[in-house]
Amino acid sequence: MARPPGHGPGYEIKRQEIIDKAAALFAKKGYAATGIAEVGDVAGLARGALYYYIGSKEHLLVEIQDRVMRPMLANVHRIAALDEDPVLRLRMLSQTLLENILARLDHVWVYEHDYRNLRGANRARLLDQRREFEDVVQRLLEAAMEEGSFRKLDPRLATLQFLNMHNHTYQWINPSGEWDAGYLSREYCATLFRGFASPGNGFDDLEDRMCEFLAKRETATPEPITRAKGSGRAPSPRRRPARNG
């Protein structure tokens, strides 16, 4: 949402703070079970002042969903456009997806559990974004099949296998634990790609090529990443206990 005319930078800083605090609250209690007054309490604002920043409770949910999907769509389209083989691009996409999950754990919880509370155009837009993301994954899987790296699979089923392994990580991961996005992506992709592989393809050099890509990414000018407040804490009581240290 663009900053209204006449408002200084402090307005946007406060609005982003409200979104972060609301995401943590919704992740703990659920969107439907959380009243707007409770959001105001954690944000330190009366109802009128809160609406000044967020417009409505549903718009706040839209903002949380956007925090998840906007960077993910930008990243997956960038990765899909690279001049690299599809298996390496899938490995890149895997790590980017997991990095996003770990960086915004509360937002992802709300994204996965509470999108059904959106209505009308807001819900249709989110579902379109989800389909757009899934289509990128499916096209890369199909490209890997066409070039012979993967055996012929049902593209939709392969897409669901890829996404389900990644998308449920938010339910148990501990951001302070020993398993970071890079480790999880290596393990997930090793399992998936060996199952998808056509005879004779072991992808022995995949991690070496991924290291080369990451080295280039790290030497480039990094984009600032605003981590969600509380992302370094253990999961909230609503989540299942983390199992990775």
Side-chain angles (χ1 to χ4, degrees), residues 21-68:
K21 289 183 175 180
L25 187 60
F26 292 162
K28 182 177 180 180
K29 297 190 62 177
Y31 173 83
T34 303
I36 195 67
E38 294 175 274
V39 178
D41 288 343
V42 298
L45 295 170
R47 184 185 296 262
L50 183 64
Y51 281 128
Y52 169 75
Y53 285 101
I54 65 168
S56 68
K57 183 183 173 185
E58 182 169 343
H59 185 75
L60 186 53
L61 182 56
V62 170
E63 291 281 0
I64 293 169
Q65 302 283 333
D66 278 351
R67 284 279 192 88
V68 176

Side-chain angles (χ1 to χ4, degrees), residues 83-94:
D83 186 21
E84 303 286 353
D85 69 83
V87 174
L88 179 58
R89 282 180 284 164
L90 283 164
R91 172 66 172 84
M92 295 174 186
L93 190 152
S94 164

Side-chain angles (χ1 to χ4, degrees), residues 86-96 162 181-183 185-187 189-190 193 206-207 210 214:
V87 174
L88 179 58
R89 282 180 284 164
L90 283 164
R91 172 66 172 84
M92 295 174 186
L93 190 152
S94 164
Q95 184 152 334
T96 296
F162 184 94
Y183 177 83
S185 181
R186 287 194 301 274
E187 293 301 309
C189 289
F193 295 174
L206 178 60
E207 289 308 314
M210 185 64 184
L214 290 174

Side-chain angles (χ1 to χ4, degrees), residues 23-220:
L25 187 60
F26 292 162
K28 182 177 180 180
K29 297 190 62 177
Y31 173 83
T34 303
I36 195 67
E38 294 175 274
V39 178
D41 288 343
V42 298
L45 295 170
R47 184 185 296 262
L50 183 64
Y51 281 128
Y52 169 75
Y53 285 101
I54 65 168
S56 68
K57 183 183 173 185
E58 182 169 343
H59 185 75
L60 186 53
L61 182 56
V62 170
E63 291 281 0
I64 293 169
Q65 302 283 333
D66 278 351
R67 284 279 192 88
V68 176
M69 284 309 298
R70 190 183 302 123
M72 272 308 306
L73 284 173
N75 283 328
V76 299
H77 284 300
R78 175 182 54 79
I79 290 169
L82 293 173
D83 186 21
E84 303 286 353
D85 69 83
V87 174
L88 179 58
R89 282 180 284 164
L90 283 164
R91 172 66 172 84
M92 295 174 186
L93 190 152
S94 164
Q95 184 152 334
T96 296
L97 175 55
L98 289 166
E99 286 171 347
N100 196 55
I101 289 171
L102 268 67
R104 294 199 177 279
L105 207 53
D106 288 334
H107 296 71
V108 172
W109 184 278
V110 176
Y111 169 82
E112 292 289 351
H113 286 259
D114 294 317
Y115 75 90
R116 294 175 182 83
N117 290 286
L118 294 172
R119 297 169 294 177
N122 285 333
R123 183 166 180 171
R125 175 172 165 270
L126 175 65
L127 293 176
D128 285 345
Q129 289 176 324
R130 286 183 174 226
R131 282 190 290 268
E132 182 181 348
F133 179 78
E134 292 172 7
D135 286 347
V136 173
V137 175
Q138 183 165 323
R139 287 196 298 271
L140 287 174
L141 288 165
E142 290 172 336
M145 296 178 212
E146 290 169 5
E147 72 164 20
S149 295
F150 291 169
R151 59 192 171 86
K152 294 297 181 183
L153 302 158
D154 181 317
R156 181 59 181 160
L157 180 57
T159 300
L160 292 173
Q161 288 175 277
F162 184 94
L163 292 174
N164 284 342
M165 180 170 275
H166 290 78
N167 287 348
H168 289 125
T169 303
Y170 78 95
Q171 294 183 324
W172 54 263
I173 191 66
N174 178 357
S176 300
E178 60 180 329
W179 298 341
D180 62 11
Y183 177 83
L184 290 174
S185 181
R186 287 194 301 274
E187 293 301 309
Y188 286 5
C189 289
T191 299
L192 286 166
F193 295 174
R194 285 171 189 156
F196 292 165
S198 59
N201 278 314
F203 312 114
D204 294 335
D205 66 340
L206 178 60
E207 289 308 314
D208 288 339
R209 291 188 292 132
M210 185 64 184
C211 287
E212 291 176 6
F213 165 75
L214 290 174
K216 293 176 184 176
R217 187 178 70 168
E218 288 168 1
T219 56

